[in-house]
Amino acid sequence: MAKALDGVRILDFTHVQSGPTCTQLLAWFGADVIKVERAGTGDVTREQLRDIPDADSLYFTMLNHNKRSVTIDTKNPEGKKVLETLIKTCDVLVENFAPGALDRMGFTWERIQELNPQMIVASVKGFGPGPYEDCKVYENVAQCAGGAASTTGFDDGPPVVTGAQIGDSGTGLHLALGIVTALFQRTKTNRGQKVLAAMQDGVLNLCRVKLRDQQRLARTGVMKEYPQYPNGTFGEAVPRAGNASGGGQPGWILKCKGWEADPNAYIYFITQAPVWAKICNVIGKEEWATDPDYATPAARLPHLKEIFAEIERWTMTKTKFEAMDILNKYDIPCGPILSMKEIAEDESLRKTGTIVEVDHPVRGKYLTVGNPIKLSDSPTDVTRSPLLGEHTDEVMTELGYSAQQIAALRTAGAI
Ligand code: COA
């Protein structure tokens, strides 16, 4: 079956996680993604956190599926010419170098426009224009600067970063949307444009509800669904909310049977208002359904700790999966705390292609996360990541270079 982005050629100048996440998605949608790397070393993640000596790391393989790899030394004059040829034949250049690196290579926006006025130049940077625009940024820096860390964790502890890579992979997702939008606009304007996704902006976008809460706090001085209410104190900034729900339906993480030995024997339980009476029945507190101190969402807010303690007395008598089965029968929203081991072994995720087993010529079989976005007319087939420079000759030949020219460029250290 044809793919949504068939015919789109991406010059992939990305490395580490944020940029590669973006170009991997585009490749899964059918774009021809040509990853440009330095001969000898390539993307630094090929050798980071290796679990098998001399094999590309899982860090690299899990972020670079469905791409082709070519090696070009873009600081070598002959290498620059090869890159110019590529720029002329591609639709999008994606990069996440440190600020200024592309300019220092000689590929300014103006130069790229001269070579290909239709080219879309898409960048991930740590910060947008402003005091930090020249800074190099990694995941956790973005989580801290984007508002995630100050609002994550418990009130009596330090700021905490989350395991979800919202700075890197989150910004890569934002960039991918920017690219397809620019490609769509190009169908009308016939012009390229710059697309920028700053990691601070991407994280803040995902922390939107916390900026909502900042303004609620400034106006009212209190947020009644936060664990600080009613006995704790609120300061001037949104506090860390522990496991409180970010929405209008209070929730918390509760212990389940086996929690003493299993660090993930927990369930997330939401006391959704429409099913309050059913919750009361399930936990054996039928009287709460009509008691004026508990019957309405507003009345319950000062009692949330006590309510969750009572519900936990019930969840501790069930495993998280038993509790799920019972609660789902009553449409009570809840979710098991799944470990990565449980997710890796989950058959239903494999059936949908969300977890995929891939074979690699050097490392053998490994698991990866497939495309989380499913298109009915553009299904994703996950193919392994390329070896360093695996497609250099193939791509050079497509660009019109002869075997002799390729050999000469290799001898000159340009490719
Ligand atoms: N041929 C020749 N040189 C190449 C090359 C190639 N094929 N590919 C890269 N380079 C050079 C670059 O030109 C740059 O050289 P310069 O510093 O002399 O200009 C150099 O490699 C290093 O690039 P840089 O991006 O600075 O890498 P770094 O390892 O020092 O920094 C980051 C890594 C991630 C901190 C930085 O790239 C960054 O801040 N990126 C933007 C934000 C981002 O995406 N962060 C998240 C990463 S998951």
Side-chain angles (χ1 to χ4, degrees), residues 13 15-19 36-38 59 72-75 96-99 101 104-105 124-126 135-139 168 199:
F13 238 149
H15 63 157
V16 200
Q17 185 181 164
S18 64
V36 176
E37 298 178 83
R38 244 181 302 201
Y59 196 2
I72 303 175
D73 180 347
T74 57
K75 290 187 175 159
N96 68 312
F97 291 127
R104 287 195 289 279
M105 267 181 209
V124 169
K125 294 289 165 258
C135 297
K136 287 184 177 179
V137 168
Y138 283 107
E139 170 69 47
D168 280 340
M199 294 168 73

PDB file of all heavy atoms in Angstrom, residues 13 15-19 36-38 59 72-75 96-99 101 104-105 124-126 135-139 168 199, ligand 1:
ATOM      1  N   PHE A  13      19.650  15.684   9.148  1.00  0.00           N
ATOM      2  CA  PHE A  13      20.901  16.095   9.773  1.00  0.00           C
ATOM      3  C   PHE A  13      20.765  16.026  11.290  1.00  0.00           C
ATOM      4  O   PHE A  13      21.326  16.844  11.997  1.00  0.00           O
ATOM      5  CB  PHE A  13      21.159  17.554   9.379  1.00  0.00           C
ATOM      6  CG  PHE A  13      22.458  17.771   8.685  1.00  0.00           C
ATOM      7  CD1 PHE A  13      22.588  18.782   7.741  1.00  0.00           C
ATOM      8  CD2 PHE A  13      23.561  16.991   8.976  1.00  0.00           C
ATOM      9  CE1 PHE A  13      23.776  19.008   7.106  1.00  0.00           C
ATOM     10  CE2 PHE A  13      24.762  17.205   8.343  1.00  0.00           C
ATOM     11  CZ  PHE A  13      24.875  18.220   7.393  1.00  0.00           C
ATOM     12  N   HIS A  15      20.637  14.278  15.237  1.00  0.00           N
ATOM     13  CA  HIS A  15      21.395  13.351  16.088  1.00  0.00           C
ATOM     14  C   HIS A  15      20.772  13.298  17.485  1.00  0.00           C
ATOM     15  O   HIS A  15      19.906  14.090  17.813  1.00  0.00           O
ATOM     16  CB  HIS A  15      22.872  13.756  16.150  1.00  0.00           C
ATOM     17  CG  HIS A  15      23.118  15.096  16.779  1.00  0.00           C
ATOM     18  ND1 HIS A  15      24.314  15.457  17.339  1.00  0.00           N
ATOM     19  CD2 HIS A  15      22.320  16.184  16.951  1.00  0.00           C
ATOM     20  CE1 HIS A  15      24.233  16.685  17.830  1.00  0.00           C
ATOM     21  NE2 HIS A  15      23.048  17.147  17.588  1.00  0.00           N
ATOM     22  N   VAL A  16      21.244  12.362  18.277  1.00  0.00           N
ATOM     23  CA  VAL A  16      20.758  12.099  19.632  1.00  0.00           C
ATOM     24  C   VAL A  16      19.251  11.734  19.576  1.00  0.00           C
ATOM     25  O   VAL A  16      18.901  10.806  18.853  1.00  0.00           O
ATOM     26  CB  VAL A  16      21.079  13.262  20.607  1.00  0.00           C
ATOM     27  CG1 VAL A  16      21.017  12.747  22.060  1.00  0.00           C
ATOM     28  CG2 VAL A  16      22.470  13.833  20.362  1.00  0.00           C
ATOM     29  N   GLN A  17      18.360  12.456  20.247  1.00  0.00           N
ATOM     30  CA  GLN A  17      16.973  11.956  20.344  1.00  0.00           C
ATOM     31  C   GLN A  17      15.903  12.846  19.705  1.00  0.00           C
ATOM     32  O   GLN A  17      15.014  12.343  19.024  1.00  0.00           O
ATOM     33  CB  GLN A  17      16.615  11.735  21.827  1.00  0.00           C
ATOM     34  CG  GLN A  17      15.251  11.111  22.004  1.00  0.00           C
ATOM     35  CD  GLN A  17      14.827  10.895  23.448  1.00  0.00           C
ATOM     36  OE1 GLN A  17      13.682  10.676  23.728  1.00  0.00           O
ATOM     37  NE2 GLN A  17      15.757  10.940  24.388  1.00  0.00           N
ATOM     38  N   SER A  18      15.963  14.156  19.954  1.00  0.00           N
ATOM     39  CA  SER A  18      14.823  14.993  19.557  1.00  0.00           C
ATOM     40  C   SER A  18      14.611  14.974  18.043  1.00  0.00           C
ATOM     41  O   SER A  18      13.511  14.678  17.560  1.00  0.00           O
ATOM     42  CB  SER A  18      15.029  16.432  20.046  1.00  0.00           C
ATOM     43  OG  SER A  18      16.157  17.000  19.418  1.00  0.00           O
ATOM     44  N   GLY A  19      15.669  15.299  17.291  1.00  0.00           N
ATOM     45  CA  GLY A  19      15.557  15.324  15.831  1.00  0.00           C
ATOM     46  C   GLY A  19      15.262  13.945  15.262  1.00  0.00           C
ATOM     47  O   GLY A  19      14.358  13.779  14.427  1.00  0.00           O
ATOM     48  N   VAL A  36      22.423  11.991   7.346  1.00  0.00           N
ATOM     49  CA  VAL A  36      23.819  12.359   7.059  1.00  0.00           C
ATOM     50  C   VAL A  36      24.627  12.268   8.341  1.00  0.00           C
ATOM     51  O   VAL A  36      24.287  12.885   9.346  1.00  0.00           O
ATOM     52  CB  VAL A  36      23.891  13.795   6.488  1.00  0.00           C
ATOM     53  CG1 VAL A  36      25.349  14.206   6.273  1.00  0.00           C
ATOM     54  CG2 VAL A  36      23.108  13.892   5.187  1.00  0.00           C
ATOM     55  N   GLU A  37      25.700  11.468   8.289  1.00  0.00           N
ATOM     56  CA  GLU A  37      26.530  11.303   9.486  1.00  0.00           C
ATOM     57  C   GLU A  37      28.002  11.463   9.118  1.00  0.00           C
ATOM     58  O   GLU A  37      28.379  11.413   7.951  1.00  0.00           O
ATOM     59  CB  GLU A  37      26.318   9.907  10.085  1.00  0.00           C
ATOM     60  CG  GLU A  37      24.896   9.657  10.544  1.00  0.00           C
ATOM     61  CD  GLU A  37      24.709   8.246  11.082  1.00  0.00           C
ATOM     62  OE1 GLU A  37      25.013   8.008  12.243  1.00  0.00           O
ATOM     63  OE2 GLU A  37      24.245   7.384  10.307  1.00  0.00           O
ATOM     64  N   ARG A  38      28.805  11.668  10.163  1.00  0.00           N
ATOM     65  CA  ARG A  38      30.242  11.766   9.957  1.00  0.00           C
ATOM     66  C   ARG A  38      30.836  10.367   9.832  1.00  0.00           C
ATOM     67  O   ARG A  38      30.522   9.493  10.641  1.00  0.00           O
ATOM     68  CB  ARG A  38      30.900  12.466  11.143  1.00  0.00           C
ATOM     69  CG  ARG A  38      31.528  13.783  10.736  1.00  0.00           C
ATOM     70  CD  ARG A  38      32.190  14.443  11.876  1.00  0.00           C
ATOM     71  NE  ARG A  38      31.235  14.681  12.952  1.00  0.00           N
ATOM     72  CZ  ARG A  38      31.420  15.592  13.894  1.00  0.00           C
ATOM     73  NH1 ARG A  38      32.499  16.339  13.865  1.00  0.00           N
ATOM     74  NH2 ARG A  38      30.553  15.759  14.854  1.00  0.00           N
ATOM     75  N   TYR A  59      19.808   2.771  21.988  1.00  0.00           N
ATOM     76  CA  TYR A  59      19.501   4.208  21.926  1.00  0.00           C
ATOM     77  C   TYR A  59      19.406   4.636  20.455  1.00  0.00           C
ATOM     78  O   TYR A  59      18.446   5.287  20.032  1.00  0.00           O
ATOM     79  CB  TYR A  59      20.605   4.975  22.653  1.00  0.00           C
ATOM     80  CG  TYR A  59      20.283   6.409  23.023  1.00  0.00           C
ATOM     81  CD1 TYR A  59      19.049   6.977  22.756  1.00  0.00           C
ATOM     82  CD2 TYR A  59      21.243   7.189  23.674  1.00  0.00           C
ATOM     83  CE1 TYR A  59      18.770   8.284  23.115  1.00  0.00           C
ATOM     84  CE2 TYR A  59      20.961   8.505  24.038  1.00  0.00           C
ATOM     85  CZ  TYR A  59      19.727   9.041  23.754  1.00  0.00           C
ATOM     86  OH  TYR A  59      19.458  10.342  24.101  1.00  0.00           O
ATOM     87  N   ILE A  72      28.979  11.856   5.127  1.00  0.00           N
ATOM     88  CA  ILE A  72      29.538  13.023   4.408  1.00  0.00           C
ATOM     89  C   ILE A  72      30.263  13.872   5.441  1.00  0.00           C
ATOM     90  O   ILE A  72      29.706  14.163   6.510  1.00  0.00           O
ATOM     91  CB  ILE A  72      28.430  13.896   3.759  1.00  0.00           C
ATOM     92  CG1 ILE A  72      27.554  13.078   2.804  1.00  0.00           C
ATOM     93  CG2 ILE A  72      29.049  15.091   3.039  1.00  0.00           C
ATOM     94  CD1 ILE A  72      26.369  13.858   2.225  1.00  0.00           C
ATOM     95  N   ASP A  73      31.504  14.285   5.138  1.00  0.00           N
ATOM     96  CA  ASP A  73      32.180  15.255   6.005  1.00  0.00           C
ATOM     97  C   ASP A  73      31.812  16.636   5.477  1.00  0.00           C
ATOM     98  O   ASP A  73      32.318  17.083   4.447  1.00  0.00           O
ATOM     99  CB  ASP A  73      33.698  15.049   5.974  1.00  0.00           C
ATOM    100  CG  ASP A  73      34.411  16.048   6.882  1.00  0.00           C
ATOM    101  OD1 ASP A  73      33.756  17.035   7.321  1.00  0.00           O
ATOM    102  OD2 ASP A  73      35.600  15.847   7.150  1.00  0.00           O
ATOM    103  N   THR A  74      30.939  17.293   6.172  1.00  0.00           N
ATOM    104  CA  THR A  74      30.409  18.558   5.659  1.00  0.00           C
ATOM    105  C   THR A  74      31.365  19.720   5.911  1.00  0.00           C
ATOM    106  O   THR A  74      31.059  20.858   5.557  1.00  0.00           O
ATOM    107  CB  THR A  74      29.048  18.873   6.307  1.00  0.00           C
ATOM    108  OG1 THR A  74      29.226  18.909   7.728  1.00  0.00           O
ATOM    109  CG2 THR A  74      28.015  17.841   5.943  1.00  0.00           C
ATOM    110  N   LYS A  75      32.503  19.428   6.512  1.00  0.00           N
ATOM    111  CA  LYS A  75      33.511  20.494   6.646  1.00  0.00           C
ATOM    112  C   LYS A  75      34.592  20.346   5.577  1.00  0.00           C
ATOM    113  O   LYS A  75      35.455  21.201   5.442  1.00  0.00           O
ATOM    114  CB  LYS A  75      34.111  20.470   8.052  1.00  0.00           C
ATOM    115  CG  LYS A  75      33.073  20.937   9.092  1.00  0.00           C
ATOM    116  CD  LYS A  75      33.643  21.092  10.456  1.00  0.00           C
ATOM    117  CE  LYS A  75      32.578  21.678  11.375  1.00  0.00           C
ATOM    118  NZ  LYS A  75      32.851  21.417  12.780  1.00  0.00           N
ATOM    119  N   ASN A  96      19.162  19.283  14.360  1.00  0.00           N
ATOM    120  CA  ASN A  96      19.113  19.695  15.768  1.00  0.00           C
ATOM    121  C   ASN A  96      20.523  19.861  16.318  1.00  0.00           C
ATOM    122  O   ASN A  96      20.850  19.378  17.393  1.00  0.00           O
ATOM    123  CB  ASN A  96      18.278  18.733  16.627  1.00  0.00           C
ATOM    124  CG  ASN A  96      18.905  17.370  16.785  1.00  0.00           C
ATOM    125  OD1 ASN A  96      19.322  16.772  15.812  1.00  0.00           O
ATOM    126  ND2 ASN A  96      18.979  16.876  18.008  1.00  0.00           N
ATOM    127  N   PHE A  97      21.363  20.559  15.521  1.00  0.00           N
ATOM    128  CA  PHE A  97      22.696  20.895  16.004  1.00  0.00           C
ATOM    129  C   PHE A  97      22.591  21.982  17.066  1.00  0.00           C
ATOM    130  O   PHE A  97      21.562  22.652  17.206  1.00  0.00           O
ATOM    131  CB  PHE A  97      23.555  21.448  14.861  1.00  0.00           C
ATOM    132  CG  PHE A  97      23.917  20.417  13.827  1.00  0.00           C
ATOM    133  CD1 PHE A  97      23.654  20.651  12.493  1.00  0.00           C
ATOM    134  CD2 PHE A  97      24.525  19.220  14.194  1.00  0.00           C
ATOM    135  CE1 PHE A  97      23.981  19.716  11.536  1.00  0.00           C
ATOM    136  CE2 PHE A  97      24.855  18.280  13.241  1.00  0.00           C
ATOM    137  CZ  PHE A  97      24.586  18.527  11.905  1.00  0.00           C
ATOM    138  N   ALA A  98      23.699  22.173  17.770  1.00  0.00           N
ATOM    139  CA  ALA A  98      23.783  23.308  18.683  1.00  0.00           C
ATOM    140  C   ALA A  98      23.587  24.593  17.874  1.00  0.00           C
ATOM    141  O   ALA A  98      23.893  24.630  16.672  1.00  0.00           O
ATOM    142  CB  ALA A  98      25.136  23.300  19.367  1.00  0.00           C
ATOM    143  N   PRO A  99      23.063  25.657  18.518  1.00  0.00           N
ATOM    144  CA  PRO A  99      22.805  26.896  17.771  1.00  0.00           C
ATOM    145  C   PRO A  99      24.038  27.364  16.986  1.00  0.00           C
ATOM    146  O   PRO A  99      25.145  27.357  17.514  1.00  0.00           O
ATOM    147  CB  PRO A  99      22.445  27.885  18.886  1.00  0.00           C
ATOM    148  CG  PRO A  99      21.883  27.035  19.986  1.00  0.00           C
ATOM    149  CD  PRO A  99      22.657  25.749  19.926  1.00  0.00           C
ATOM    150  N   ALA A 101      25.600  25.939  14.473  1.00  0.00           N
ATOM    151  CA  ALA A 101      26.466  24.928  13.848  1.00  0.00           C
ATOM    152  C   ALA A 101      26.232  24.840  12.333  1.00  0.00           C
ATOM    153  O   ALA A 101      27.186  24.739  11.555  1.00  0.00           O
ATOM    154  CB  ALA A 101      26.249  23.572  14.502  1.00  0.00           C
ATOM    155  N   ARG A 104      27.853  27.747  10.703  1.00  0.00           N
ATOM    156  CA  ARG A 104      29.318  27.598  10.683  1.00  0.00           C
ATOM    157  C   ARG A 104      29.760  26.630   9.603  1.00  0.00           C
ATOM    158  O   ARG A 104      30.848  26.739   9.066  1.00  0.00           O
ATOM    159  CB  ARG A 104      29.826  27.108  12.058  1.00  0.00           C
ATOM    160  CG  ARG A 104      29.772  28.162  13.148  1.00  0.00           C
ATOM    161  CD  ARG A 104      30.610  27.767  14.356  1.00  0.00           C
ATOM    162  NE  ARG A 104      30.023  26.678  15.119  1.00  0.00           N
ATOM    163  CZ  ARG A 104      29.047  26.807  16.012  1.00  0.00           C
ATOM    164  NH1 ARG A 104      28.552  28.012  16.261  1.00  0.00           N
ATOM    165  NH2 ARG A 104      28.573  25.768  16.657  1.00  0.00           N
ATOM    166  N   MET A 105      28.909  25.678   9.241  1.00  0.00           N
ATOM    167  CA  MET A 105      29.216  24.760   8.130  1.00  0.00           C
ATOM    168  C   MET A 105      29.111  25.474   6.784  1.00  0.00           C
ATOM    169  O   MET A 105      29.480  24.937   5.757  1.00  0.00           O
ATOM    170  CB  MET A 105      28.163  23.633   8.104  1.00  0.00           C
ATOM    171  CG  MET A 105      28.522  22.416   8.855  1.00  0.00           C
ATOM    172  SD  MET A 105      27.126  21.275   8.612  1.00  0.00           S
ATOM    173  CE  MET A 105      27.238  20.366  10.116  1.00  0.00           C
ATOM    174  N   VAL A 124      15.270  21.795  15.673  1.00  0.00           N
ATOM    175  CA  VAL A 124      15.012  21.753  17.124  1.00  0.00           C
ATOM    176  C   VAL A 124      16.138  22.545  17.766  1.00  0.00           C
ATOM    177  O   VAL A 124      17.311  22.346  17.447  1.00  0.00           O
ATOM    178  CB  VAL A 124      15.040  20.313  17.666  1.00  0.00           C
ATOM    179  CG1 VAL A 124      15.047  20.337  19.205  1.00  0.00           C
ATOM    180  CG2 VAL A 124      13.858  19.517  17.171  1.00  0.00           C
ATOM    181  N   LYS A 125      15.780  23.446  18.644  1.00  0.00           N
ATOM    182  CA  LYS A 125      16.784  24.147  19.460  1.00  0.00           C
ATOM    183  C   LYS A 125      16.309  24.054  20.904  1.00  0.00           C
ATOM    184  O   LYS A 125      15.133  23.792  21.167  1.00  0.00           O
ATOM    185  CB  LYS A 125      16.915  25.615  19.036  1.00  0.00           C
ATOM    186  CG  LYS A 125      17.473  25.795  17.644  1.00  0.00           C
ATOM    187  CD  LYS A 125      18.970  25.448  17.560  1.00  0.00           C
ATOM    188  CE  LYS A 125      19.452  25.285  16.119  1.00  0.00           C
ATOM    189  NZ  LYS A 125      19.597  23.906  15.677  1.00  0.00           N
ATOM    190  N   GLY A 126      17.201  24.302  21.834  1.00  0.00           N
ATOM    191  CA  GLY A 126      16.818  24.232  23.238  1.00  0.00           C
ATOM    192  C   GLY A 126      15.843  25.338  23.603  1.00  0.00           C
ATOM    193  O   GLY A 126      14.813  25.118  24.234  1.00  0.00           O
ATOM    194  N   CYS A 135      22.267  28.511  23.934  1.00  0.00           N
ATOM    195  CA  CYS A 135      22.633  27.399  24.839  1.00  0.00           C
ATOM    196  C   CYS A 135      22.402  26.036  24.193  1.00  0.00           C
ATOM    197  O   CYS A 135      21.418  25.831  23.495  1.00  0.00           O
ATOM    198  CB  CYS A 135      21.788  27.464  26.103  1.00  0.00           C
ATOM    199  SG  CYS A 135      22.059  28.940  27.078  1.00  0.00           S
ATOM    200  N   LYS A 136      23.315  25.114  24.519  1.00  0.00           N
ATOM    201  CA  LYS A 136      23.073  23.700  24.188  1.00  0.00           C
ATOM    202  C   LYS A 136      22.100  23.153  25.217  1.00  0.00           C
ATOM    203  O   LYS A 136      22.177  23.510  26.393  1.00  0.00           O
ATOM    204  CB  LYS A 136      24.367  22.905  24.297  1.00  0.00           C
ATOM    205  CG  LYS A 136      25.362  23.156  23.185  1.00  0.00           C
ATOM    206  CD  LYS A 136      26.554  22.235  23.354  1.00  0.00           C
ATOM    207  CE  LYS A 136      27.524  22.410  22.211  1.00  0.00           C
ATOM    208  NZ  LYS A 136      28.709  21.558  22.357  1.00  0.00           N
ATOM    209  N   VAL A 137      21.243  22.276  24.797  1.00  0.00           N
ATOM    210  CA  VAL A 137      20.219  21.785  25.730  1.00  0.00           C
ATOM    211  C   VAL A 137      19.998  20.281  25.553  1.00  0.00           C
ATOM    212  O   VAL A 137      19.925  19.785  24.426  1.00  0.00           O
ATOM    213  CB  VAL A 137      18.886  22.543  25.505  1.00  0.00           C
ATOM    214  CG1 VAL A 137      17.734  21.870  26.244  1.00  0.00           C
ATOM    215  CG2 VAL A 137      19.013  23.985  25.993  1.00  0.00           C
ATOM    216  N   TYR A 138      19.896  19.592  26.676  1.00  0.00           N
ATOM    217  CA  TYR A 138      19.483  18.186  26.690  1.00  0.00           C
ATOM    218  C   TYR A 138      18.135  18.069  27.391  1.00  0.00           C
ATOM    219  O   TYR A 138      17.664  19.004  28.051  1.00  0.00           O
ATOM    220  CB  TYR A 138      20.523  17.326  27.417  1.00  0.00           C
ATOM    221  CG  TYR A 138      21.757  17.039  26.582  1.00  0.00           C
ATOM    222  CD1 TYR A 138      22.966  17.656  26.850  1.00  0.00           C
ATOM    223  CD2 TYR A 138      21.706  16.139  25.528  1.00  0.00           C
ATOM    224  CE1 TYR A 138      24.107  17.388  26.083  1.00  0.00           C
ATOM    225  CE2 TYR A 138      22.826  15.860  24.757  1.00  0.00           C
ATOM    226  CZ  TYR A 138      24.024  16.489  25.039  1.00  0.00           C
ATOM    227  OH  TYR A 138      25.128  16.224  24.277  1.00  0.00           O
ATOM    228  N   GLU A 139      17.564  16.879  27.278  1.00  0.00           N
ATOM    229  CA  GLU A 139      16.228  16.580  27.807  1.00  0.00           C
ATOM    230  C   GLU A 139      15.884  17.253  29.140  1.00  0.00           C
ATOM    231  O   GLU A 139      14.910  18.000  29.248  1.00  0.00           O
ATOM    232  CB  GLU A 139      16.118  15.043  27.960  1.00  0.00           C
ATOM    233  CG  GLU A 139      14.898  14.546  28.702  1.00  0.00           C
ATOM    234  CD  GLU A 139      13.609  14.755  27.930  1.00  0.00           C
ATOM    235  OE1 GLU A 139      13.574  14.426  26.742  1.00  0.00           O
ATOM    236  OE2 GLU A 139      12.630  15.254  28.511  1.00  0.00           O
ATOM    237  N   ASP A 168      12.803  15.905  24.556  1.00  0.00           N
ATOM    238  CA  ASP A 168      13.389  15.413  23.303  1.00  0.00           C
ATOM    239  C   ASP A 168      12.314  14.861  22.367  1.00  0.00           C
ATOM    240  O   ASP A 168      12.032  15.424  21.311  1.00  0.00           O
ATOM    241  CB  ASP A 168      14.398  14.304  23.592  1.00  0.00           C
ATOM    242  CG  ASP A 168      15.739  14.859  24.052  1.00  0.00           C
ATOM    243  OD1 ASP A 168      16.005  16.040  23.798  1.00  0.00           O
ATOM    244  OD2 ASP A 168      16.510  14.098  24.647  1.00  0.00           O
ATOM    245  N   MET A 199      12.756  23.377  22.536  1.00  0.00           N
ATOM    246  CA  MET A 199      12.413  22.354  23.550  1.00  0.00           C
ATOM    247  C   MET A 199      11.698  22.973  24.756  1.00  0.00           C
ATOM    248  O   MET A 199      10.777  22.381  25.310  1.00  0.00           O
ATOM    249  CB  MET A 199      13.684  21.616  23.990  1.00  0.00           C
ATOM    250  CG  MET A 199      14.302  20.801  22.868  1.00  0.00           C
ATOM    251  SD  MET A 199      15.953  20.213  23.241  1.00  0.00           S
ATOM    252  CE  MET A 199      15.620  18.924  24.427  1.00  0.00           C
TER     253      MET A 199
HETATM  254  N1  COA B   1      30.537  16.491   9.094  1.00  0.00           N
HETATM  255  C1  COA B   1      31.293  17.394   9.730  1.00  0.00           C
HETATM  256  N2  COA B   1      30.965  17.993  10.887  1.00  0.00           N
HETATM  257  C2  COA B   1      29.785  17.635  11.428  1.00  0.00           C
HETATM  258  C3  COA B   1      28.934  16.694  10.832  1.00  0.00           C
HETATM  259  C4  COA B   1      29.355  16.105   9.601  1.00  0.00           C
HETATM  260  N3  COA B   1      28.614  15.208   8.966  1.00  0.00           N
HETATM  261  N4  COA B   1      27.860  16.543  11.619  1.00  0.00           N
HETATM  262  C5  COA B   1      28.028  17.365  12.665  1.00  0.00           C
HETATM  263  N5  COA B   1      29.189  18.031  12.555  1.00  0.00           N
HETATM  264  C6  COA B   1      29.749  19.004  13.481  1.00  0.00           C
HETATM  265  C7  COA B   1      28.914  20.255  13.613  1.00  0.00           C
HETATM  266  O1  COA B   1      29.139  21.078  12.516  1.00  0.00           O
HETATM  267  C8  COA B   1      29.453  20.839  14.920  1.00  0.00           C
HETATM  268  O2  COA B   1      30.674  21.511  14.643  1.00  0.00           O
HETATM  269  P1  COA B   1      31.033  22.989  15.212  1.00  0.00           P
HETATM  270  O3  COA B   1      30.743  22.963  16.684  1.00  0.00           O
HETATM  271  O4  COA B   1      32.490  23.099  14.898  1.00  0.00           O
HETATM  272  O5  COA B   1      30.195  23.953  14.501  1.00  0.00           O
HETATM  273  C9  COA B   1      29.832  19.589  15.703  1.00  0.00           C
HETATM  274  O6  COA B   1      29.718  18.491  14.798  1.00  0.00           O
HETATM  275  C10 COA B   1      29.031  19.252  16.928  1.00  0.00           C
HETATM  276  O7  COA B   1      27.651  19.554  16.801  1.00  0.00           O
HETATM  277  P2  COA B   1      26.800  19.914  18.085  1.00  0.00           P
HETATM  278  O8  COA B   1      25.399  20.002  17.683  1.00  0.00           O
HETATM  279  O9  COA B   1      27.405  21.128  18.724  1.00  0.00           O
HETATM  280  O10 COA B   1      27.022  18.624  19.011  1.00  0.00           O
HETATM  281  P3  COA B   1      27.326  18.521  20.581  1.00  0.00           P
HETATM  282  O11 COA B   1      27.526  17.066  20.812  1.00  0.00           O
HETATM  283  O12 COA B   1      28.404  19.415  21.048  1.00  0.00           O
HETATM  284  O13 COA B   1      25.965  19.008  21.275  1.00  0.00           O
HETATM  285  C11 COA B   1      23.591  18.949  21.701  1.00  0.00           C
HETATM  286  C12 COA B   1      24.862  18.137  21.351  1.00  0.00           C
HETATM  287  C13 COA B   1      22.416  17.977  21.627  1.00  0.00           C
HETATM  288  C14 COA B   1      23.722  19.510  23.115  1.00  0.00           C
HETATM  289  C15 COA B   1      23.407  20.100  20.694  1.00  0.00           C
HETATM  290  O14 COA B   1      23.441  19.562  19.398  1.00  0.00           O
HETATM  291  C16 COA B   1      22.118  20.892  20.884  1.00  0.00           C
HETATM  292  O15 COA B   1      21.983  21.699  21.801  1.00  0.00           O
HETATM  293  N6  COA B   1      21.156  20.694  19.958  1.00  0.00           N
HETATM  294  C17 COA B   1      19.895  21.422  19.950  1.00  0.00           C
HETATM  295  C18 COA B   1      18.964  20.960  21.034  1.00  0.00           C
HETATM  296  C19 COA B   1      18.699  19.495  20.986  1.00  0.00           C
HETATM  297  O16 COA B   1      18.250  18.940  20.012  1.00  0.00           O
HETATM  298  N7  COA B   1      18.928  18.847  22.143  1.00  0.00           N
HETATM  299  C20 COA B   1      18.465  17.519  22.401  1.00  0.00           C
HETATM  300  C21 COA B   1      19.268  16.484  21.839  1.00  0.00           C
HETATM  301  S1  COA B   1      18.406  14.970  22.099  1.00  0.00           S
END
